[in-house]
Amino acid sequence: MTERPIAPSTLDARAAYRVAVDRLRTQHHDLQVEGPIRLAKRTSNLFRMRDASRMPCLDVAAFSGVIEVDPVARTADVLGMTTYEELVEATLRFGLMPLVVPKLKTITLGGAVSGRGIESTSFRNGAPHESVIDFDVLTGDGRVVTVTPDGPHAELFTGFPNSYGTLGYALRLRIELEPVKPFVALEHYLHHSAADAAETICEIVQTREHRGRPVDFIDGVVFSRDRVVITVGRFVDEAPYLSDYTRAKIYYKSLEQRSSDYLTIRDYLWRWDTDWFWCSGALGVQHPLVRPFLPRRLLRSDVYWKIVGFERRHGWKFGWDAKRGRSPGEPVIQDVEIPVGRLAEFLDFFHAEIGIAPVWLCPLRQRSSDVTWDLYALDPEMTYVNLGFWSSVEAIPGQREGYHNRRIEGVVAELGGRKSLYSSSYYEEDEFWSIDNGVQYELLKKRYDPQGRLLDLHAKCVRGH
Ligand SMILES: Cc1cc2nc3c(=O)[nH]c(=O)nc-3n(C[C@H](O)[C@H](O)[C@H](O)COP(=O)(O)OP(=O)(O)OC[C@H]3O[C@@H](n4cnc5c(N)ncnc54)[C@H](O)[C@@H]3O)c2cc1C
């Protein structure tokens, strides 16, 4: 096989990476103070409340960018703090995309792989960590190791997803890519019950077709108990027309208004970012009198994030609600995975006791049945449905803090599901470690962060430091 010549820009990027790694190790070494350290990043999609302001920070600004896209091998070599927005721009130039593109533009590759990512290709490609070929990690004890599925750090390969930066930080990752076509044809199917929707999902996951046509993407929205829309998408070379949901029209509303649609591949990948699913409505930007005057650059999830962050710091809405005698309510911002056969049961509980709508829905199946992802083990023979809900509910007087979130945790466990850890969690410590494989975690922690320079997973995700 003839070797492909390496472009000078790639050589420069690799040299710059090596320099940045040396500097980061020095930085890590110099932060020899008591207590844990954390990442200093420009963006975040983490909803956990935390007070990390006094923790010393590692500046990782140098770890953003794409080192190389190899169109022949269909791989990309990417720095760990690169946002998917930047990554997708680099790969689309070659007619390629990552196998799973989480739908918020500023989610980073390292964040998605160390957490648990999902999108509408997850029914065939699993989660983002399942298409990582190898990666470099700055471990808690300050080493930089290259992690591969069968090398000396193989146990970190299977133990890294869902570790949320508590074993080390991914600095560079090589990932698989897949070819795209310029457009995506969408069809929206309304179901009048969750059980019917679950049946459609099972059929599509099994056959990768719907009504005789191939399916490349599936997700959906539960608008109410009897209105569940499943959206299937397929790559196409030509489109008879194109919709644009980055201006006046709002994507999630279109799901109930039309049965088919066409988007460019780029607009498809970011269809949920423009209105943060539907959550931008709470900030007033969907109002027909306001919307036409908003420039596109402001219709982005990271802008909404900044507004929410500002509100959290200053509490003006809280103060306003208190003046009007309104309780602040309990934030219920979660993503959970439920076995598809229990979807209807979960939604029955959810409509009756939590009552948030809409709910995002996305099928997920482990890509390869040969791997066990130690801290986020799923049954590889099972199809799961991810449900995302991001709102708040009225607090019940006399109930302990986090009552609704605890109920959700309990029901998810009863139904054999899993919950993501990017938001608030209330698990008791024993329960947490029985779900998240405490035995394996402890081995990894001893090997990669023996002095506890990084927080422990329970402390970080449940106690919320
Ligand atoms: C409203 C909402 C909707 C969401 N929807 C989706 C979705 O549709 N699909 C999806 O996939 N995800 C979704 N997420 C979850 C999101 O993917 C995770 O929160 C993810 O971890 C965020 O990554 P980030 O790059 O923004 O990292 P951050 O928010 O900055 O950090 C998240 C955690 O990852 C750690 N971390 C960050 N970078 C690295 C690294 N390089 N190495 C090791 N650890 C690191 C941090 O220490 C931190 O604990 C959603 C989250 C929210 C709040």
Side-chain angles (χ1 to χ4, degrees), residues 39 41 43-48 50 80-82 100-104 106-119 128 160 163-166 168-171 173 276-277 279 305 333 335 360 386 390 420 422-423 460-461:
L39 279 185
K41 265 172 93 243
T43 58
S44 174
N45 290 279
L46 204 58
F47 249 95
R48 274 183 249 124
R50 56 185 177 162
M81 316 300 155
T82 309
V100 182
V101 178
K103 63 187 62 56
L104 304 180
T106 59
I107 291 178
T108 62
L109 180 59
V113 168
S114 71
R116 204 282 297 113
I118 186 152
E119 229 290 294
F160 198 74
S163 67
Y164 282 97
T166 64
Y169 294 122
L171 304 180
L173 306 94
W276 215 8
F277 295 85
C279 303
W305 239 126
I333 295 164
D335 270 60
W360 183 61
N386 179 94
W390 312 290
S420 297
Y422 70 76
S423 185
K460 189 168 188 175
C461 299

Side-chain angles (χ1 to χ4, degrees), residues 97-402:
M97 68 176 233
L99 269 59
V100 182
V101 178
K103 63 187 62 56
L104 304 180
K105 288 177 173 171
T106 59
I107 291 178
T108 62
L109 180 59
V113 168
S114 71
R116 204 282 297 113
I118 186 152
E119 229 290 294
S120 58
T121 52
S122 290
F123 75 104
R124 55 188 177 88
N125 289 337
H129 58 260
E130 295 183 72
S131 39
V132 172
I133 301 164
D134 58 57
F135 58 109
D136 295 344
V137 177
L138 173 73
T139 59
D141 57 8
R143 288 172 287 154
V144 175
V145 298
T146 299
V147 181
T148 58
D150 44 16
H153 302 287
E155 60 194 357
L156 190 54
F157 193 87
T158 49
F160 198 74
N162 209 36
S163 67
Y164 282 97
T166 64
L167 297 171
Y169 294 122
L171 304 180
R172 180 206 58 85
L173 306 94
R174 198 153 54 94
I175 58 165
E176 293 174 55
L177 303 173
E178 69 174 21
V180 301
K181 290 184 178 173
F183 309 107
V184 178
L186 302 179
E187 282 159 20
H188 309 302
Y189 293 100
L190 175 65
H191 295 74
H192 291 292
S193 73
D196 284 354
E199 213 172 288
T200 302
I201 291 169
C202 288
E203 178 220 305
I204 296 173
V205 171
Q206 211 173 10
T207 61
R208 299 203 178 176
E209 286 189 353
H210 192 51
R211 304 200 175 173
R213 284 199 285 263
V215 172
D216 297 307
F217 307 94
I218 330 176
D219 68 346
V221 174
V222 182
F223 286 96
S224 63
R225 198 183 273 278
D226 59 358
R227 293 186 74 78
V228 181
V229 175
I230 300 288
T231 297
V232 297
R234 93 196 121 85
F235 286 122
V236 288
D237 286 309
E238 285 172 13
Y241 61 87
L242 285 171
S243 291
D244 180 356
Y245 296 103
T246 63
R247 289 171 184 266
K249 289 193 285 175
I250 294 169
Y251 177 70
Y252 85 92
K253 293 190 176 172
S254 75
L255 272 55
E256 290 200 289
Q257 291 161 349
R258 51 195 307 160
S259 57
S260 61
D261 213 341
Y262 287 87
L263 292 174
T264 64
I265 177 66
R266 185 180 285 97
D267 281 355
Y268 175 76
L269 293 176
W270 303 131
R271 69 202 180 286
W272 291 117
D273 188 81
T274 311
D275 280 290
W276 215 8
F277 295 85
W278 33 82
C279 303
S280 69
L283 304 174
V285 305
Q286 294 178 19
H287 194 287
L289 294 178
V290 175
R291 182 79 167 199
F293 302 103
L294 290 171
R296 268 185 196 194
R297 68 187 157 78
L298 295 184
L299 297 173
R300 292 173 51 100
S301 62
D302 54 342
V303 173
Y304 310 139
W305 239 126
K306 283 182 193 142
I307 298 170
V308 170
F310 181 84
E311 199 287 317
R312 278 183 174 183
R313 282 194 302 280
H314 301 283
W316 49 267
K317 183 170 180 302
F318 181 83
W320 175 244
D321 284 346
K323 267 193 199 144
R324 291 189 301 165
R326 284 198 196 157
S327 86
E330 177 187 339
V332 179
I333 295 164
Q334 302 289 354
D335 270 60
V336 301
E337 267 120 38
I338 304 294
V340 66
R342 316 293 300 266
L343 177 67
E345 260 172 280
F346 181 82
L347 284 174
D348 272 347
F349 145 76
F350 191 82
H351 293 307
E353 290 195 33
I354 310 295
I356 292 174
V359 173
W360 183 61
L361 164 167
C362 183
L364 163 75
R365 201 171 163 105
Q366 192 164 309
R367 188 173 173 217
S368 159
S369 52
D370 301 337
V371 191
T372 301
W373 300 100
D374 295 310
L375 308 188
Y376 207 84
L378 295 177
D379 177 345
E381 305 305 328
M382 175 100 73
T383 299
Y384 293 80
V385 178
N386 179 94
L387 297 167
F389 31 93
W390 312 290
S391 188
S392 62
V393 296
E394 211 167 301
I396 299 179
Q399 286 293 1
R400 57 186 184 153
E401 192 208 327

